Amino acid sequence: MSFLSGWFRSLQLRWIRFRHYLSGYVKIRLEDQANEQENDDPVEVVWSKYLGKSLYRLENIPYTEGFNLHDVVRCQERPNELPVVVEIVQHSSNRTLRVAFQEEVSDEAVGHILSELREKQVYYEKAIARLYMFNLEPSIDYEAVRDYLKSKQEEGLLWLYE
């Protein structure tokens, strides 16, 4: 039974990738040049919308610093490899806050913080375990949200990375 469920899951993921491909969505690589020596895996793979002429618009909230949701980037394209970002062509007006919740913080407390941010129209993506990226659109008060998260950091609930 586990073989069939694994096979079905694989088929399901391939279908999702194929649908994204038909919609013009592709995965691209963001390489964090600044932290390459400190980080064992300085590469992040994100969904993007292909715009033509080696240009892509980021469709995930990236963890890699310097990038934000809907930035337009130019990629180097090589056969049989994911395109690799070489420069940001146009910054979106979005801003990203990166947060890691402390291990000892309850799921209920994390959920409460996420709920409060959603009420302020701040949306997030979860990377792994307790690591989140929050997207702030231009209409959102960046300072107020950052101050709110800093207060939670001072309470020992999370680490804020800007």
Side-chain angles (χ1 to χ4, degrees):
M1 191 66 163
S2 66
F3 169 77
L4 285 178
S5 64
W7 179 82
F8 181 72
R9 179 71 178 143
S10 173
L11 186 62
Q12 202 174 26
L13 290 173
R14 288 179 187 179
W15 173 246
I16 290 169
R17 283 190 208 114
F18 183 67
R19 279 191 4 223
H20 278 94
Y21 175 77
L22 289 177
S23 302
Y25 289 92
V26 295
K27 288 196 172 189
I28 61 173
R29 291 174 23 161
L30 302 174
E31 295 186 358
D32 190 352
Q33 307 293 330
N35 294 324
E36 198 165 329
Q37 283 76 26
E38 299 172 20
N39 192 347
D40 292 336
D41 188 16
V43 175
E44 177 181 8
V45 176
V46 297
W47 283 109
S48 65
K49 177 80 172 173
Y50 181 63
L51 304 175
K53 298 183 180 182
S54 300
L55 298 177
Y56 298 80
R57 183 180 63 234
L58 304 182
E59 296 296 333
N60 282 121
I61 305 171
Y63 180 75
T64 303
E65 289 184 39
F67 296 96
N68 296 292
L69 180 66
H70 295 150
D71 283 352
V72 175
V73 296
R74 183 177 322 282
C75 289
Q76 180 179 36
E77 299 164 330
R78 295 184 185 141
N80 301 320
E81 290 184 23
L82 292 177
V84 178
V85 173
V86 292
E87 69 176 321
I88 297 175
V89 175
Q90 180 180 10
H91 289 280
S92 69
S93 297
N94 293 313
R95 295 181 76 178
T96 305
L97 290 170
R98 295 151 183 92
V99 169
F101 286 94
Q102 299 287 355
E103 287 296 321
E104 58 275 0
V105 176
S106 71
D107 290 342
E108 184 179 333
V110 171
H112 179 71
I113 292 170
L114 295 176
S115 242
E116 285 189 19
L117 290 170
R118 269 193 307 268
E119 287 175 15
K120 300 173 196 270
Q121 305 300 307
V122 175
Y123 299 101
Y124 66 89
E125 288 187 31
K126 182 177 182 180
I128 54 170
R130 293 181 164 248
L131 181 62
Y132 292 80
M133 292 83 63
F134 296 97
N135 182 63
L136 285 79
E137 294 180 357
S139 60
I140 306 298
D141 185 351
Y142 177 83
E143 301 297 326
V145 172
R146 191 191 64 195
D147 290 346
Y148 169 77
L149 289 170
K150 280 190 177 210
S151 74
K152 297 302 176 187
Q153 181 175 356
E154 290 168 3
E155 292 175 29
L157 300 174
L158 56 85
W159 290 100
L160 172 63
Y161 306 94
E162 297 183 62

